């Protein structure tokens, strides 16, 4: 079976079966993607600028993907869908255009699980300031994500189910979370480990 690509809608499932995930590097922005602009409600012609932080963060970005999981979660991932950071996987950690642009200007660590196949996930752990976090929240709430507060964190989810042109059922989704200066963005296809995002927040943000 061909490897999975980005699943942007049920109607584009044929394009979805091409690639997954990538190595632990900054999130790539696809050159063929639509213009990454957000519009102010009521003024569709005015793009929302992507804020660049001028204040040094107080939270350090983890040095490697080994630093973002608890031992228990790492064992689950190794058992259920290895390896970590297969270089052949290129799934983006989000499909939201303003967030892809934001990932290009904030400190970011990318991690993935799985091989180029129909099952895996990609995660970006990033450090954002208050203005950038507000952009993330606004994008998620206006894009149909369901958001809930969990302690001092906000966790937002969006899921899709469909059937490919080869009549193969699939599930895919995004989980986005903010806690302090830590922003965790995860895109998954047929692999959504229980407690995954919460474990990263606890490990990285304390």
């Amino acid at each position: 079976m061909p490897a999975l690509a980005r699943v942007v809608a049920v109607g584009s499932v044929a394009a979805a079966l091409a690639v997954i995930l990538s190595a632990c590097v900054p999130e790539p922005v696809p050159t063929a993607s639509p213009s990454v602009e957000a519009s102010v409600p009521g003024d569709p012609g005015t793009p929302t600028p992507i804020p660049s932080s001028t204040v040094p963060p107080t939270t350090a970005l983890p040095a490697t993907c080994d630093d973002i999981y608890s031992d228990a979660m790492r064992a689950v991932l190794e058992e259920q869908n290895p390896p970590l950071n297969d270089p052949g996987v290129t799934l983006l950690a989000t499909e939201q255009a303003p967030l892809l642009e934001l990932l290009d200007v904030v400190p970011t660590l990318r991690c993935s699980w799985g091989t180029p196949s129909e099952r895996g996930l990609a995660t970006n752990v990033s450090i954002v300031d208050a203005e950038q976090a507000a952009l993330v929240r606004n994008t998620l709430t206006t894009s149909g994500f369901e958001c809930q507060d969990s302690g001092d964190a906000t966790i937002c989810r969006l899921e899709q189910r469909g059937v490919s042109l080869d009549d193969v059922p699939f599930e895919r989704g995004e989980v986005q979370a903010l806690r302090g200066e830590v922003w965790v963005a995860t895109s998954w296809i047929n692999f959504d480990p229980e407690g995954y995002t919460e474990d990263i927040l606890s490990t990285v943000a304390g």
Side-chain angles (χ1 to χ4, degrees):
M1 165 159 320
L4 282 174
R6 302 162 52 199
V7 181
V8 296
V10 171
S12 60
V13 175
L17 303 179
V19 289
I20 275 189
L21 319 176
S22 183
C24 192
V25 296
E27 182 81 4
V29 177
T31 57
S33 64
S35 176
V36 284
E37 294 180 348
S39 297
V40 177
D43 186 8
T46 304
T48 299
I50 301 299
S52 297
S53 179
T54 58
V55 179
T58 59
T59 303
L61 182 71
T64 72
C65 295
D66 294 325
D67 299 325
I68 72 170
Y69 304 108
S70 68
D71 291 342
M73 178 56 65
R74 180 61 183 264
V76 169
L77 297 168
E78 291 281 8
E79 178 183 358
Q80 294 185 358
N81 202 25
L84 172 64
N85 294 332
D86 186 301
V89 199
T90 56
L91 180 67
L92 297 174
T94 180
E95 294 289 346
Q96 313 310 312
L99 302 188
L100 286 173
E101 189 170 351
L102 180 59
L103 284 170
D104 200 37
V105 301
V106 297
T108 296
L109 175 70
R110 175 184 169 85
C111 309
S112 70
W113 286 92
T115 60
S117 68
E118 72 284 355
R119 187 169 183 263
L121 61 77
T123 293
N124 274 46
V125 177
S126 307
I127 304 300
V128 294
D129 63 17
E131 186 178 3
Q132 293 164 341
L135 172 64
V136 174
R137 289 189 178 92
N138 180 66
T139 300
L140 297 177
T141 55
T142 58
S143 299
F145 281 71
E146 294 185 2
C147 297
Q148 294 183 334
D149 291 332
S150 177
D152 57 352
T154 300
I155 301 177
C156 304
R157 303 177 187 274
L158 182 67
E159 297 184 8
Q160 296 174 339
R161 292 177 174 82
V163 179
S164 73
L165 295 181
D166 295 327
D167 293 326
V168 178
F170 72 89
E171 297 182 10
R172 62 95 54 198
E174 289 188 28
V175 183
Q176 305 266 352
L178 288 160
R179 183 176 183 183
E181 296 178 315
V182 177
W183 169 32
V184 180
T186 297
S187 180
W188 56 269
I189 302 175
N190 294 325
F191 182 59
D192 182 24
E194 183 177 357
Y196 177 84
T197 295
E198 292 83 353
D199 183 83
I200 295 175
L201 287 176
S202 178
T203 302
V204 175

